[in-house]
Amino acid sequence: ERRMAPPLVMPCCACGTASYRLSFQGLWTRELHPTQWPTQSGLLHWTNLIGVSHSGEYMIYHEGGLASQAVQSICTYGDSTVLGQDLRRANVWPHLKSVIRERGMWGEREMNETRTAMFAVNNTHHLLSMVTMMGPSTDWCTGVSALDMCVAQNCTWQQKREVDLYAWDAGVKMGNTYQPPLGQDERLDVPEPIRGITADWPPGNPFTPGRPVARLTLERVRPTHDWQCPTEPMPGVKSAQMGKNAGGSGDSGSDGSGGGSSARRNKKRLGGGGSSGDGTSPLDDPSLAQMATFLCITSQWTPWSRCSVTCGVGYKRRTRVMEVNRKNELCRHVKLLDKQSCEGRKRTCDYSAKCSLLPWSDWSTCNATCSRAGVQRRARLFARAEEREDCMMGDRRRGGENETGGEGRMQGMSGRRRRRPRTVLP
């Protein structure tokens, strides 16, 4: 399919800085779009709204173009982390004026609620772009791209504008319904251009033809008169700066709804999440943490293990397994191993005796890379390295390696690795 070029951006001759109130109202409801309406109302959601006012040198997305990694992350599993990181890059933020980020809507009761935010524009950064994912879906989003707030004909700012929003497909996955059967929602080998969902495409889609899924209302708050030219944005506008305000999953303060504490509550309940490499996890986002409770069903935690040491400070652990994985991109971040520090029977350890051994190391990562059984290893050292030769010699005279059960301690052979075959599925 032929890709389309980004829209042409006309110069703006309006003066000063205009501040706007953005209102997003969901119209994706059972009454307006009844076909194939999801039976599990708890899965219905709009993910966090994220957007920017910007110059023509930057685009979040445009219809007919390929979705960036940031847009793919949002539209496939609602994660705005990548876009938040992109907006903080040194080569991007000069093209941004302000940042929009508001919490999403969860459950059928909230689907037609309204979310509001402030943004600002000037004659070099007079475009508005915003995106949010609608779920459950394979890769469906809605939003606006490079919406011009400038009235070039008379060099003023638009007073008020209403925009009906329709669903579009990010071109990442197969599927023409909210929750395709297993195997019919595979990732495409070659991504397709972003394309609006219509009455004819994709065939059999659930949206009522001609009816929007949301409405965006943009009202100018300042200047109150066209002839005024204020130089600064109004309070409440989040100005874009490198490394700040850019709406990644860790930016909970912009919700205005206690999102940070919600994220911490969800993270504790989920046992945290796997790191994405930069210390962040999609599950730090309260909306994604809530999504995981429906899409990533785990077993109950096992009881805590015994403390790993008999003296000093060690750790105890517990595990759980993933029983239902409806969205691997999200579920792989759900923590299945939990550790907690603990004290042994003695608060301090006595290593004065000859051949004393230090505590065991942690178990290594499983050496299997697929669904076959693998091996984990752990090791421990002599308290005094200079005793190693004598202690190992004495162990050989006693008949080789002596191991005890329980915690798998090794007597007299510290410093070597001990193989402990375990059925571990990575």
Side-chain angles (χ1 to χ4, degrees):
E1 186 174 341
R2 186 172 63 87
R3 301 183 202 170
M4 296 170 57
L8 181 65
V9 178
M10 301 298 293
C12 176
C13 55
C15 70
T17 297
S19 299
Y20 284 85
R21 179 182 295 108
L22 174 152
S23 299
F24 177 96
Q25 182 185 8
L27 300 176
W28 179 41
T29 63
R30 183 192 299 267
E31 292 73 27
L32 297 178
H33 299 274
T35 304
Q36 301 175 24
W37 189 254
T39 56
Q40 294 177 284
S41 61
L43 294 179
L44 290 162
H45 63 276
W46 292 106
T47 57
N48 289 349
L49 279 62
I50 183 168
V52 288
S53 57
H54 58 96
S55 72
E57 301 297 316
Y58 176 76
M59 294 277 177
I60 292 180
Y61 76 94
H62 72 274
E63 188 169 349
L66 293 178
S68 65
Q69 289 295 323
V71 173
Q72 290 184 29
S73 294
I74 292 173
C75 296
T76 53
Y77 61 105
D79 181 15
S80 61
T81 306
V82 180
L83 181 56
Q85 292 169 347
D86 285 351
L87 299 181
R88 290 190 285 266
R89 298 187 190 280
N91 63 336
V92 171
W93 73 266
H95 305 302
L96 311 180
K97 176 66 175 173
S98 55
V99 174
I100 297 164
R101 185 170 188 264
E102 286 299 321
R103 67 184 180 89
M105 293 169 251
W106 277 88
E108 194 162 0
R109 290 184 179 180
E110 292 189 8
M111 292 308 292
N112 61 344
E113 288 186 358
T114 300
R115 295 287 183 263
T116 61
M118 298 290 292
F119 70 95
V121 290
N122 60 20
N123 61 5
T124 56
H125 301 71
H126 50 98
L127 306 176
L128 172 69
S129 293
M130 186 220 73
V131 64
T132 179
M133 175 201 179
M134 50 198 311
S137 72
T138 52
D139 59 349
W140 293 344
C141 277
T142 193
V144 292
S145 176
L147 188 67
D148 200 338
M149 303 306 299
C150 184
V151 183
Q153 292 86 346
N154 57 10
C155 298
T156 59
W157 298 110
Q158 297 201 41
Q159 183 70 40
K160 182 176 180 179
R161 185 167 181 178
E162 287 190 348
V163 183
D164 284 343
L165 305 181
Y166 297 86
W168 46 264
D169 188 296
V172 181
K173 286 188 170 185
M174 301 188 305
N176 65 345
T177 187
Y178 297 122
Q179 293 176 285
L182 189 65
Q184 296 182 24
D185 61 348
E186 298 295 326
R187 202 173 187 91
L188 297 173
D189 293 333
V190 179
E192 297 179 353
I194 293 172
R195 183 174 175 180
I197 297 175
T198 64
D200 303 319
W201 187 90
N205 76 76
F207 298 105
T208 304
R211 286 187 174 173
V213 295
R215 178 170 294 125
L216 206 61
T217 302
L218 310 168
E219 298 179 274
R220 193 179 78 190
V221 182
R222 194 168 70 182
T224 54
H225 302 285
D226 288 345
W227 52 265
Q228 294 175 320
C229 297
T231 59
E232 297 294 330
M234 288 189 63
V237 173
K238 300 179 180 69
S239 298
Q241 299 178 29
M242 184 169 62
K244 297 182 180 180
N245 296 334
S249 65
D251 183 15
S252 58
S254 62
D255 283 345
S257 61
S261 61
S262 176
R264 285 189 291 272
R265 287 193 301 271
N266 280 307
K267 186 170 182 180
K268 182 177 180 181
R269 177 163 49 87
L270 290 167
S275 171
S276 61
D278 59 357
T280 64
S281 164
L283 298 183
D284 294 336
D285 186 313
S287 290
L288 294 177
Q290 185 173 3
M291 186 191 302
T293 63
F294 297 103
L295 300 180
C296 314
I297 309 301
T298 66
S299 65
Q300 296 294 317
W301 287 106
T302 62
W304 285 105
S305 69
R306 288 184 293 174
C307 194
S308 61
V309 297
T310 57
C311 60
V313 178
Y315 67 88
K316 56 184 179 180
R317 51 188 276 164
R318 59 179 182 172
T319 60
R320 59 181 177 179
V321 297
M322 186 70 64
E323 295 182 339
V324 177
N325 182 337
R326 296 192 179 104
K327 204 98 171 172
N328 185 60
E329 301 97 328
L330 184 65
C331 296
R332 63 189 176 88
H333 294 281
V334 174
K335 194 172 184 180
L336 302 178
L337 169 65
D338 194 15
K339 284 186 177 181
Q340 193 175 90
S341 62
C342 58
E343 289 185 349
R345 293 189 294 272
K346 298 179 181 178
R347 305 196 73 174
T348 58
C349 298
D350 181 6
Y351 298 118
S352 60
K354 188 176 181 180
C355 298
S356 292
L357 298 169
L358 298 177
W360 287 104
S361 68
D362 289 344
W363 286 105
S364 68
T365 304
C366 179
N367 66 355
T369 56
C370 55
S371 58
R372 62 183 177 83
V375 173
Q376 291 177 290
R377 304 170 186 267
R378 64 178 181 172
R380 60 179 179 175
L381 303 174
F382 286 106
R384 289 169 292 281
E386 64 273 13
E387 297 178 352
R388 180 175 181 274
E389 192 66 31
D390 288 345
C391 295
M392 291 178 66
M393 186 69 69
D395 183 76
R396 293 191 189 102
R397 286 196 295 267
R398 287 193 299 271
E401 296 182 332
N402 294 312
E403 296 183 3
T404 64
E407 294 299 310
R409 299 179 194 142
M410 180 181 295
Q411 295 181 347
M413 292 300 295
S414 184
R416 294 183 178 180
R417 288 184 173 179
R418 171 180 181 264
R419 291 172 61 92
R420 182 185 179 188
R422 310 169 76 188
T423 302
V424 180
L425 301 182

